[in-house]
Amino acid sequence: MSDKLGLGIAKIGDLLFNNKITTIDGGISIENIYLKIPEYQRPYKWTAKNANQLLDDIEAAMYENKEVYRVGTLILHYDTKEKTYNIVDGQQRTITFSLLLKCLCSEKIDFLSQQLSNNPYNLHNVINNYRTLNRRIDQLVDEKETKQLRDYICERCELIVVITEDLSEAFQFFDSQNARGKSLYPHDLLKAYHLREMGNVDSAETERIVRTWENLDQKKLAILFNEYLYRLKEWVKGNRSYELNEHNIDLFKGVTSKDNHPYAQFYKGAFAYADDINNSKMPFVTGIQPLCPFQINAPIIAGKPFFEYAKHYFDILADIQNNDKYEGYYINDNEIVKTLDLRKYKNGVGNRISRLMFDTTILLYVDRFCPARPSKTDNEYLEQFVVFAFVWAYSMRAQYKNVGWQVAQNYIMGETKKEGLVNGFNIYKVIVDSDSPGSLLSKLSDKIAPLDISKVRATTENMDEETDGVYQNYLHFFMKFKFLEER
């Protein structure tokens, strides 16, 4: 840690009413601490449940006569140019304390006067939590009880405060704090890491990038990294995949500006070339398609490119999973996907794993072989591949009565032949080892075999039943494409 790092204590009353840190480095207090929520911060996502829990915890500490109640850590970046104290970590708790004190008294809280970003979470949760806390305060017996609670919050509730002038150091401390405490989503830790690698990006561009990131559905973003990109990165290397966490997120840290080994220079050069072309007039003048600067099985370029990488694959996966006839470029009104989208094939662990395997194969294929705006030929190849991907993924589903992750990993690793089952192999390695759609389809034609109907564990009844043009049994397509036979 640098000598610019300060460690102190802030009583809640001092921080929010008096705008000061109570004591820093065991010495004097710091005045004129006007907290600011920077643009790169996440929205205010604490719900009424979180706000109620905070108040419950405070009341419990008060009734237990705790002399001091430590309520968490506040990490601040002191911007020497703007003379502001930006909250890096602790925003959710600080906003909630501000709302609680606003319910308890009429004194002005400067922190609440700043404009939050126009985000649905901010708009809903601030108002809803204030109303929730206000209702709780209204239930207090009398003015004496209200004052007792207010005084306890202001004088006995304390935050440990970390202040640094180095933004990278602030994010580093943020990472370490969360690695030791309640774990964040891995993609949140990656966000912090790659923000630190953006030292050469101006603040306006940084704010735009982070705003774009935060506007993505965070649950879907977590699923993208945990279930799709992480598993693909492991499977294409022939490894089993387990869980993305803080211990293996190095897979997504990538090549930094300081890395100058030949392999790093190669990937940085490739990204820089694609980026230069795409931001020049050349695509407009020549009519060429934008160059794709990413590949799932290639290293990530740290910093700003990481955020572009995440948005790129977020959009591609959304396209693949949307079978609307008129939406997107890749999967449009596909008859196999119509059946797999039936509710009965979305429920249950086995169905979800099979669908994940199906979707990841298509994501990897599109990443490797489909341009941003595919031609008729590109789409024809993709449609042929979808059949093979379906037969591969759902051969596992058809041959096992129960499918869990152990079964799926063995199937992907090709460890099912001793059970007399077919089509268990690492299709992901086959995809990345192929240099064209034609060669890939030829390899899959040789590797994927028809199922013996006598060994199929799934129901084979009503394979031709359809409703509104949608077949109700996925095995219909095994029969249609001649991958189901009696022996």
Side-chain angles (χ1 to χ4, degrees), residues 292-396:
C292 179
F294 310 111
Q295 282 285 281
I296 286 172
N297 60 320
I300 292 167
I301 308 302
K304 178 182 174 182
F306 166 79
F307 295 94
E308 297 169 352
Y309 166 96
K311 181 68 164 60
H312 173 77
Y313 288 111
F314 187 95
D315 291 342
I316 290 180
L317 183 60
D319 188 335
I320 287 169
Q321 294 180 329
N322 180 359
N323 195 34
D324 188 281
K325 186 175 182 178
Y326 303 105
E327 290 288 331
Y329 288 104
Y330 303 118
I331 301 294
N332 300 93
D333 203 33
N334 183 277
E335 59 177 353
I336 293 175
V337 177
K338 284 181 182 179
T339 294
L340 299 184
D341 280 345
L342 293 173
R343 183 184 297 273
K344 63 181 178 179
Y345 293 129
K346 288 189 173 183
N347 294 330
V349 174
N351 287 331
R352 288 196 291 270
I353 291 175
S354 301
R355 181 59 185 268
L356 176 72
M357 291 164 59
F358 174 67
D359 285 350
T360 48
T361 58
I362 297 173
L363 178 59
L364 187 61
Y365 177 93
V366 168
D367 181 57
R368 189 165 183 84
F369 296 119
C370 290
R373 294 187 291 275
S375 66
K376 181 180 178 182
T377 301
D378 294 323
N379 283 325
E380 288 171 352
Y381 276 128
L382 175 58
E383 288 174 7
Q384 293 177 61
F385 175 77
V386 167
V387 174
F388 284 120
F390 161 75
V391 172
W392 174 77
Y394 282 83
S395 286
M396 177 190 69

Side-chain angles (χ1 to χ4, degrees), residues 45-54 124-125 128-129 132-133 135-136:
K45 289 194 173 183
W46 270 26
T47 63
K49 178 181 178 181
N50 302 117
N52 275 321
Q53 185 62 59
L54 179 64
H124 176 266
N125 289 338
N128 192 55
N129 290 357
T132 298
L133 293 170
R135 284 192 289 268
R136 288 280 302 272

Side-chain angles (χ1 to χ4, degrees), residues 22-46:
T22 308
T23 178
I24 191 78
D25 293 328
I28 62 173
S29 63
I30 303 180
E31 307 285 342
N32 299 317
I33 300 287
Y34 293 100
L35 301 178
K36 180 181 178 183
I37 299 173
E39 286 290 335
Y40 57 73
Q41 264 291 1
R42 300 178 68 189
Y44 177 57
K45 289 194 173 183
W46 270 26

